[in-house]
Amino acid sequence: MPQVLVKINKELDKWGLIELQGTLECPDSVQLQNAHIGDLHIDRSGTPQLIIGHHILTGKIQKLDKPFGVMKQSGPNVWNIKSIIEEKYIFKTRPKPIIEKKT
């Protein structure tokens, strides 16, 4: 399963890990590194929803057995810890199209 690091909360510098079933496809001319792929929302019941284009994926949150550290190199042999990742967002179901009802 592909895994992607995401920044969950800018103010708290909270990061998470998104795990997708399948692949993200894009044209060869598009680079996914540092690109905006979609929007992550957590509803009132704590269920994560990922919106990519005109599709929505519903997932679940799982605590990691062993936390990950997000580190940035600030010099030769010097690394700073930016954040600790303690949970991942798993999306296993097929995406559903978002259809707008016209009135």
Side-chain angles (χ1 to χ4, degrees):
M1 279 192 210
Q3 295 181 340
V4 180
L5 288 177
V6 292
K7 194 168 199 173
I8 303 298
N9 188 324
K10 291 181 183 179
E11 291 80 26
L12 298 176
D13 205 21
K14 181 179 178 183
W15 289 59
L17 183 70
I18 291 183
E19 191 172 282
L20 300 172
Q21 177 73 35
T23 60
L24 287 175
E25 294 182 8
C26 64
D28 292 336
S29 60
V30 176
Q31 293 288 329
L32 289 179
Q33 186 174 355
N34 294 326
H36 178 82
I37 296 172
D39 297 314
L40 178 65
H41 301 274
I42 312 265
D43 66 11
R44 290 188 177 124
S45 66
T47 303
Q49 295 178 329
L50 183 61
I51 300 172
I52 301 175
H54 298 289
H55 294 86
I56 186 166
L57 293 97
T58 303
K60 65 178 183 175
I61 300 174
Q62 182 180 11
K63 291 280 185 193
L64 294 172
D65 294 333
K66 294 182 180 180
F68 285 101
V70 178
M71 301 170 69
K72 183 176 182 180
Q73 189 171 12
S74 61
N77 300 325
V78 179
W79 293 84
N80 295 325
I81 296 176
K82 295 187 62 79
S83 182
I84 302 293
I85 300 174
E86 297 175 338
E87 55 192 23
K88 66 179 173 179
Y89 302 85
I90 303 171
F91 297 93
K92 290 184 179 180
T93 59
R94 293 180 62 85
K96 296 178 183 170
I98 298 173
I99 301 172
E100 182 180 328
K101 291 184 179 180
K102 294 187 179 185
T103 56

